[in-house]
Amino acid sequence: MQQSTKSKVAPSPPAARPSFSYRPEIDGLRAIAVLAVLFCHAGLGFSGGYVGVDVFFVISGYLITSLLIRDLEAGKFSLVHFWERRIRRIVPALAATLLVTLVLGWFLLFSGDLVRLAKSTLAVVGMASNLYFRTQSGYFDGAAKERPLLHTWSLSVEEQFYLILPVGLFLFYFCMKRRGWRRGLLPMLLLAAAASLLMSIWAVRADKLVGAYYLLPSRAWEMLMGSVLACLPAVAAPTSRWAREASSWAGVGMILIASWVYTEATPFPGLAAIPPCLGAALIIWGNTPSREGGATTFCSRVLASKPMLGIGLISYSLYLWHWPLYAFGRYLGVDQLGLRVALVPLSFLLAILCWKYVEQPVREKRIFGSRRSLFTFFFCSTAFFVLAGLSLIYWNGVPQRLKGSLAFNDQIISREEARLRAFNEAKDGLGLTERVEELAKKHTYPEIGLRGAPPTVFVWGDSQGMVIAPLMDALLKEANLGGQVAAFGGIPPLLRIDGMSRPGSQVVSEIVLQYIEQHPTIKDVLLTAWWSARMEHRPEVFSSGFQETIERLQKSGRTVWLLKETPNSEFNIPRKVAHSGFSSDRSWRLTVSDYRAKTREVERVFVKYPAVRFIDPLPAFMIPGSQELRVEVDGISLYSDHLHLTKEGAEQLLLPTLKAALLPALRGE
C-alpha cells in the first residue's frame, strides 16, 4: 500500500522546490495509519480507524509524484523502471499473503466461500479487487468482514492510480516542458482533485456509498492531495517553528479524532474523508524542508522515534497480514475480545517475518536482483494464482475435501444458494435482479396454490417472500385456493422507501400495490420482510411508508396479514454451526432477548395498526427451558445464511405457524 521513502534523489533547483530525500517522519505517519486500521479491525476502540487507509493514499500520492517529477526533470523517466519499483514494493509480500490465505481457505472454507476467495484472488492479481468487492457488498457488511482479501481493495485503487498518473505526468511534461510545465502542473492537479472530491461528495449524498468507497474516481482526490504537496514550490513550505509545529500537531489531531469519533455509520468518504486526509497533508507539509531550512519539529522527532519508525517500516506487511487473520477468526466463530487482542501480536510477528525475509531481500535486490528475474517472478506468480483461482472455481470449491458436519452444512449452503439463484434468475419476475422495474411492470407474478384458479391470496415481500412462497403454495393447495407471489430481493413491501432500499424500490412497490388494487379476487395480502433492517436504516421513512401501505390496502378492502421477521443474526449461521467445535463461544447464538431488542422499534410501529393480523414466528423457534432459539438440529443448520431459513428449516419452523394462523381464516372457519 505504501511507497518507499528510502531513495537517493538528486536535488531539484532550489528556486523551484526542496530536495526530495528520505523523511523518517513519513514512516512514523504510516505507523499511525496502520495502527488505526489494526485497532479498528480488532474492535479496540478506534471505530473510525479505517481512515488510516486514506492517510496511506495521501502518502502514496506525495511520494510517487515526487519520484516521478524527479525522474522527469532529470531525464530518467521510464515506465518500465517505475513499474519495476512498484513490483518490488508491492508484489512479493502480496504474493506470500495470497498463498497462505489460499492454503488456509482450502482447509477452513465451505465450497461457496472458497469459490468466492478464488474469485477475489483473480481480482487481486488483475488489480481489480475494488471492482469485485464493490459488486459483493458494502465494506462494513457482516458478510464482508469474513472475506480474507477484502482489504486488498485499497491496493487495487492505488495500482489503478499508478497506471494513470505516470502516463499523465509524462504527457503533460512532453507537451508543456518548453512553456514551463511546472507552472501548469499544480493547477491541473488541483482541478483533478477538486473534480474527484465533488464526485465523492455527490456519491455519498446520493446514497451510492459502496461505489464511493471502493472506486478510484471518488478516491483519486486523496492521492492527488499528496501529488499537490509534491508540486508545491519551496517558498510554500513553512519556515517558522511555530507554524511547522502547529501544522504537524493539528494534522495528528485530525487523524486521531477521526479515528476515534467516526463509526461504520459515518457516511464515507465524501466530506468525512477531508479531515484525515488534510491531517496527513498538514503533517507532510509542516515538516517539508524549505529554502531557508527550518528546525526539526518535536512532532517529527516523535514520529521518527524508533518504535514509530519500526512500525512504519513494516506497515505494508502488517496491513496485508492482519485482515486475513481476523476474517478467518470471524469465519470460525472465534471473535471474542481476548482472541482479537491475541491476534494483534501475531499480526506483528507475521509482518516482521514478511518484511525481513520477503520485502527487504527483494527491495535490496538480494533476491531477484535483475529486472529480468523480477519480471519473470511477477508473471510466473500471476500465472500461478490465476491457474489456482480458475481451478477452484471450475471444481466448485472442491467440496470433497470437507468431512463430517462441515460436509453436511456445505451441502445445505450450496443447495440453498443454487435454489435462491434459480429463483432470482427466473423469468417470472422474482428475485435479485437489476431489472425489477421492468419485470414488475409485466405483472408476471407466479402462481401458488391451485394453478389456474383466480388469486385470492397475494404474498408480497422481499427475499423473505422467496422463503415462504413454497410454504404458501402447499398451504393454499390444502385450502383449494389460488394465489400469487411478488418477491423482490432487497425491496420490502412498502411505499415511500426510496433511499432506504434498492434504487427504484418505490416504483416497484407502487406497481405491485396497483396490481393488487386492480384485481378484486385478491382478498388477503400477506406481507413479509426483514422489517428491523428497514426500520433501523431510516425510522421516519419506514413509519410513513408502512402507514401509507397499510391504509391503501385496507381502503381497497383487503385483509392485511403480516408475518413478523424470523430471528436472524449478524453471523452466517450455518458456518457457525459447522465450526462450533473450534470454540466454546456462544455469543453468536440467537436468543429471545436479542430478538426482542432488535425488533422493539418495529413493534412500536406495528402496535398502531390493530386491524392488521400479525403472525408471530418467535414461539416456534424457542427452545423449552432456554433463552436460546433453535437454529440447528443435530449439527445441521436450519438457516442458509444469517437471515434465510433453509427449505427444511422453513417447513419445520414456519409452516406450522402459517397453517395455524391462516388456514382457518382462509377456509372461513
Side-chain angles (χ1 to χ4, degrees), residues 215-498:
L215 299 184
L216 176 63
S218 53
R219 289 288 194 168
W221 68 272
E222 303 177 23
M223 288 166 279
L224 288 169
M225 181 180 286
S227 299
V228 168
L229 282 174
C231 293
L232 290 177
V235 293
T239 56
S240 75
R241 175 66 178 268
W242 181 89
R244 294 162 65 83
E245 204 75 69
S247 168
S248 301
W249 286 112
V252 171
M254 294 171 80
I255 295 171
L256 294 180
I257 291 173
S259 299
W260 188 261
V261 173
Y262 288 2
T263 68
E264 294 180 0
T266 302
F268 202 86
L271 291 172
I274 294 178
C277 291
L278 183 58
L282 286 173
I283 293 172
I284 296 172
W285 178 75
N287 293 282
T288 299
S290 64
R291 285 191 301 179
E292 290 79 17
T296 303
T297 66
F298 177 67
C299 181
S300 70
R301 292 198 296 273
V302 171
L303 292 176
S305 62
K306 287 186 177 180
M308 297 296 287
L309 190 60
I311 296 173
L313 290 174
I314 66 168
S315 58
Y316 176 56
S317 287
L318 185 57
Y319 180 81
L320 285 179
W321 285 101
H322 86 283
W323 179 260
L325 295 178
Y326 286 105
F328 281 120
R330 292 187 185 97
Y331 191 90
L332 296 176
V334 288
D335 198 30
Q336 303 99 314
L337 177 60
L339 289 168
R340 294 201 305 270
V341 172
L343 289 177
V344 172
L346 179 58
S347 300
F348 271 94
L349 175 61
L350 291 173
I352 292 170
L353 292 174
C354 186
W355 177 79
K356 183 175 182 179
Y357 295 108
V358 179
E359 279 196 74
Q360 286 299 95
V362 177
R363 293 177 64 189
E364 294 174 357
K365 298 186 178 182
R366 287 183 276 128
I367 300 177
F368 308 126
S370 67
R371 179 178 295 172
R372 180 177 180 179
S373 62
L374 178 70
F375 278 90
T376 299
F377 160 73
F378 171 71
F379 289 115
C380 287
S381 62
T382 299
F384 169 78
F385 288 117
V386 169
L387 180 61
L390 292 176
S391 298
L392 291 173
I393 295 170
Y394 179 79
W395 294 107
N396 198 30
V398 196
Q400 298 84 356
R401 65 200 161 81
L402 301 174
K403 306 298 180 184
S405 65
L406 287 172
F408 282 117
N409 285 284
D410 182 60
Q411 292 170 12
I412 289 174
I413 295 173
S414 298
R415 185 199 66 195
E416 291 298 314
E417 287 182 347
R419 185 172 68 88
L420 287 178
R421 185 163 54 249
F423 201 71
N424 296 338
E425 295 172 355
K427 296 180 180 179
D428 56 25
L430 290 173
L432 301 170
T433 171
E434 297 303 321
R435 298 169 55 240
V436 288
E437 288 186 37
E438 174 188 341
L439 294 170
K441 291 175 182 177
K442 292 180 179 179
H443 305 315
T444 53
Y445 311 126
E447 291 182 294
I448 54 176
L450 292 182
R451 301 303 191 263
T456 59
V457 177
F458 196 93
V459 178
W460 182 14
D462 55 12
S463 59
Q464 293 296 325
M466 305 176 196
V467 173
I468 71 167
L471 308 182
M472 291 300 299
D473 180 57
L475 192 151
L476 289 178
K477 285 178 180 176
E478 186 174 343
N480 293 314
L481 297 173
Q484 287 182 290
V485 179
F488 296 98
I491 302 181
L494 298 173
L495 298 172
R496 311 296 178 196
I497 53 173
D498 272 351

Side-chain angles (χ1 to χ4, degrees), residues 94 98 116-137 139 147-160 210 213-216 319-320:
L94 178 59
L98 290 178
R116 279 183 278 274
L117 176 60
K119 290 180 179 178
S120 62
T121 300
L122 294 176
V124 171
V125 298
M127 298 186 291
S129 64
N130 61 325
L131 303 178
Y132 172 75
F133 287 116
R134 184 219 175 192
T135 66
Q136 300 301 301
S137 62
Y139 182 78
R147 291 175 178 163
L149 297 179
L150 176 67
H151 64 320
T152 61
W153 72 269
S154 62
L155 298 184
S156 292
V157 169
E158 289 195 8
E159 288 161 349
Q160 292 158 14
V210 176
Y213 199 93
Y214 284 118
L215 299 184
L216 176 63
Y319 180 81
L320 285 179

Side-chain angles (χ1 to χ4, degrees), residues 33 36 49 140 150 176 193 214 250 298 340 356 362 397 400 446 456-457 527 532 566 588 608 632 636 645 665:
F140 301 110
L150 176 67
M176 300 288 294
Y214 284 118
F298 177 67
R340 294 201 305 270
K356 183 175 182 179
V362 177
Q400 298 84 356
T456 59
V457 177
L527 307 179
S532 64
T566 54
W588 62 270
K608 299 176 183 179
E632 51 91 14
I636 305 301
L645 289 164

Side-chain angles (χ1 to χ4, degrees), residues 139-200:
Y139 182 78
F140 301 110
D141 291 354
K145 296 178 181 179
E146 297 178 352
R147 291 175 178 163
L149 297 179
L150 176 67
H151 64 320
T152 61
W153 72 269
S154 62
L155 298 184
S156 292
V157 169
E158 289 195 8
E159 288 161 349
Q160 292 158 14
F161 184 73
Y162 298 157
L163 287 173
I164 298 172
L165 182 67
V167 176
L169 286 181
F170 173 75
L171 292 176
F172 191 80
Y173 176 78
F174 180 79
C175 296
M176 300 288 294
K177 63 179 180 178
R178 294 183 179 179
R179 306 176 189 175
W181 82 292
R182 290 291 299 278
R183 288 194 298 271
L185 180 59
L186 185 59
M188 183 191 74
L189 291 174
L190 285 170
L191 183 62
S196 174
L197 175 59
L198 289 175
M199 182 178 297
S200 180

